[in-house]
Amino acid sequence: MSKLGNIGARLYRGEVGYDFIGKRKIWYGISVLITITAIVGLAVRGLNMGIEFSGGAVFTTPKTSVSATEAEHRAEAAAEGHQATVQKLGNGGLRIQISELDTQQSLPVQEALAKDLNVPVKDINTQLVGPSWGEEIANKAWLGLGVFMVLVVIYLAIAFEWRMALAALIALIHDLTITVGVYALVGFEVTPGTVIGLLTILGYSLYDTVVVFDSLKEMSKDIGKQTRFTFSEMANRSINSTLVRSINTTVVALLPVAGLLFVGGGVLGAGMLNDISLALFVGLAAGAYSSIFIATPLVADLKERDPAMKALAKRVRAKRASAAAKGESQEQGDTAVQDAVGEAEPQDAEDAAPAGSSAAGRRSQPASRDRGRGRPSGKRR
């Protein structure tokens, strides 16, 4: 931990760092590849919408020895071809969701399930969701997401600038696309809990992004009055100074979410936790990635197009070229002096150089140092 703290302190002071901005084309390529994969998965497999959005019936059974796979086949047979989703509950019961099932069809299905699963009909709890209600929930979810995006862009444009607001919006869309694509590829059910998870991860993603933006805003204050760093270099310093903080925040947030996803949903069989935990897990990881590798490099790209930043970059390059030329000239001058001195140095420097001479080689000791040898101490008698 002490080594990590030392690395964080050195990153913050700018003593060490990684060139995130300089390698931004690599990060853009990785993001494009992941995004295309997510879109293809979404187009091919589609989303497994829960009955809250598509409408249908939910049957909750008591403890039974029938497996989830077998119960799924029997439920689809009883529902005459309607798609069924079965989850094993912690108490040994089953949660059977059958989409697009109306009230008249639910009672025969309930009786068929009771017979196939060998449980009393009265012990099977049935809940019906109409398609109009599911459509209303979906519209409210999209509305909430749209309002959230608009408010975020307005706030960032006021608190920082429009370039940062645009970069943050692109990063958010990037995170949403990846999370939704993973849902399509994995086949997890999309429920209102999924929407809650998406809104939550957008908040986490914005937190990391705003931390980097705030550091960049502070470092780039009066940036035009100096000629040491360009805006891209200043942005790179901002990322490095907040890197350890972002990593720590993401890891601390991912650990409990991983417990919900892998332990709660996988080991304990609490399938109802999968919808929100998967959205949180994927979204938190994607949000940390986008805040470092997407949002800030995009701001640097947009800002470097500003005429003032172009002029600053030109001045910085000119100053560095001048310093490099002066350093080269000084080095060449020192080398020429050393060569000239070496050629002028006689073979026996000790004999040729006069007493006290500092021309080159080893200096001869002054003769005055030998005057007192073989004589009395010099004290007056």
Coordinates of all heavy atoms in Angstrom, one line a residue, residues 12 160 164 212-223 234 238:
Y12 N 0.8 12.6 -9.0 CA 0.2 13.9 -8.7 C 1.2 15.0 -8.9 O 0.8 16.1 -9.4 CB -0.3 13.9 -7.3 CG -1.0 15.2 -6.9 CD1 -2.4 15.4 -7.3 CD2 -0.4 16.2 -6.2 CE1 -3.0 16.6 -7.0 CE2 -1.1 17.4 -5.8 CZ -2.4 17.5 -6.2 OH -3.0 18.7 -5.9
F160 N -18.0 23.9 -16.5 CA -16.7 23.8 -17.2 C -16.8 24.6 -18.5 O -16.6 25.8 -18.6 CB -16.3 22.3 -17.4 CG -16.2 21.6 -16.1 CD1 -17.2 20.8 -15.6 CD2 -15.0 21.7 -15.3 CE1 -17.0 20.1 -14.4 CE2 -14.9 21.0 -14.2 CZ -15.9 20.2 -13.7
M164 N -16.1 20.1 -22.8 CA -16.1 19.1 -21.8 C -17.5 18.4 -21.7 O -17.6 17.2 -21.4 CB -15.7 19.7 -20.4 CG -14.3 20.1 -20.4 SD -13.8 20.7 -18.7 CE -12.0 21.0 -19.0
V212 N -11.5 14.3 -13.1 CA -10.5 14.6 -14.1 C -10.7 16.0 -14.7 O -9.7 16.8 -14.8 CB -10.4 13.6 -15.2 CG1 -9.2 13.9 -16.1 CG2 -10.2 12.2 -14.6
F213 N -11.9 16.4 -15.0 CA -12.2 17.7 -15.6 C -11.8 18.8 -14.6 O -11.3 19.9 -15.0 CB -13.6 17.8 -16.1 CG -13.9 17.1 -17.3 CD1 -15.2 17.0 -17.8 CD2 -12.9 16.4 -18.0 CE1 -15.5 16.4 -19.0 CE2 -13.2 15.7 -19.2 CZ -14.5 15.7 -19.7
D214 N -12.2 18.6 -13.4 CA -11.9 19.6 -12.4 C -10.4 19.9 -12.2 O -9.9 21.0 -12.1 CB -12.5 19.2 -11.0 CG -12.4 20.3 -10.0 OD1 -13.0 21.4 -10.2 OD2 -11.7 20.1 -9.0
S215 N -9.6 18.8 -12.2 CA -8.2 18.9 -12.1 C -7.6 19.6 -13.4 O -6.7 20.4 -13.3 CB -7.5 17.5 -12.0 OG -6.1 17.5 -12.1
L216 N -8.2 19.3 -14.5 CA -7.7 19.9 -15.8 C -8.1 21.4 -15.8 O -7.3 22.2 -16.2 CB -8.4 19.2 -17.0 CG -8.1 19.8 -18.4 CD1 -6.6 19.8 -18.6 CD2 -8.8 19.0 -19.4
K217 N -9.2 21.7 -15.3 CA -9.6 23.1 -15.2 C -8.7 23.9 -14.3 O -8.3 25.1 -14.6 CB -11.1 23.2 -14.7 CG -11.6 24.7 -14.6 CD -13.0 24.7 -14.0 CE -13.5 26.1 -13.9 NZ -14.9 26.2 -13.3
E218 N -8.3 23.3 -13.2 CA -7.4 24.0 -12.3 C -6.0 24.1 -12.9 O -5.4 25.2 -12.7 CB -7.3 23.2 -11.0 CG -6.5 23.9 -9.8 CD -7.2 25.1 -9.4 OE1 -8.4 25.3 -9.5 OE2 -6.4 26.0 -8.8
M219 N -5.5 23.1 -13.5 CA -4.2 23.1 -14.1 C -4.0 24.1 -15.3 O -3.0 24.7 -15.5 CB -3.7 21.7 -14.5 CG -3.3 20.8 -13.3 SD -2.6 19.2 -13.9 CE -2.3 18.5 -12.3
S220 N -5.1 24.1 -16.1 CA -5.1 24.9 -17.3 C -5.5 26.4 -17.1 O -5.6 27.1 -18.0 CB -6.0 24.3 -18.3 OG -7.3 24.3 -17.9
K221 N -5.6 26.8 -15.8 CA -5.9 28.2 -15.6 C -4.7 29.1 -16.0 O -3.6 28.8 -15.6 CB -6.2 28.4 -14.1 CG -6.7 29.8 -13.7 CD -6.9 29.9 -12.2 CE -8.0 28.9 -11.7 NZ -8.2 29.1 -10.2
D222 N -5.0 30.1 -16.7 CA -3.9 31.0 -17.3 C -2.9 30.2 -18.1 O -1.7 30.4 -18.0 CB -3.2 31.7 -16.1 CG -4.2 32.6 -15.4 OD1 -5.2 33.1 -16.0 OD2 -4.0 32.8 -14.1
I223 N -3.4 29.2 -18.8 CA -2.4 28.3 -19.6 C -1.8 29.1 -20.7 O -0.6 28.8 -21.1 CB -3.2 27.1 -20.1 CG1 -2.2 26.1 -20.8 CG2 -4.2 27.5 -21.2 CD1 -2.8 24.8 -21.2
M234 N -1.0 19.2 -20.6 CA -1.7 19.5 -19.4 C -2.8 18.5 -19.1 O -3.0 18.1 -17.9 CB -2.2 21.0 -19.4 CG -2.5 21.6 -18.1 SD -1.0 22.0 -17.2 CE -0.4 23.4 -18.1
S238 N -3.3 15.9 -15.9 CA -4.5 15.9 -15.1 C -4.9 14.4 -14.9 O -5.3 14.0 -13.8 CB -5.6 16.7 -15.7 OG -5.2 18.0 -15.9

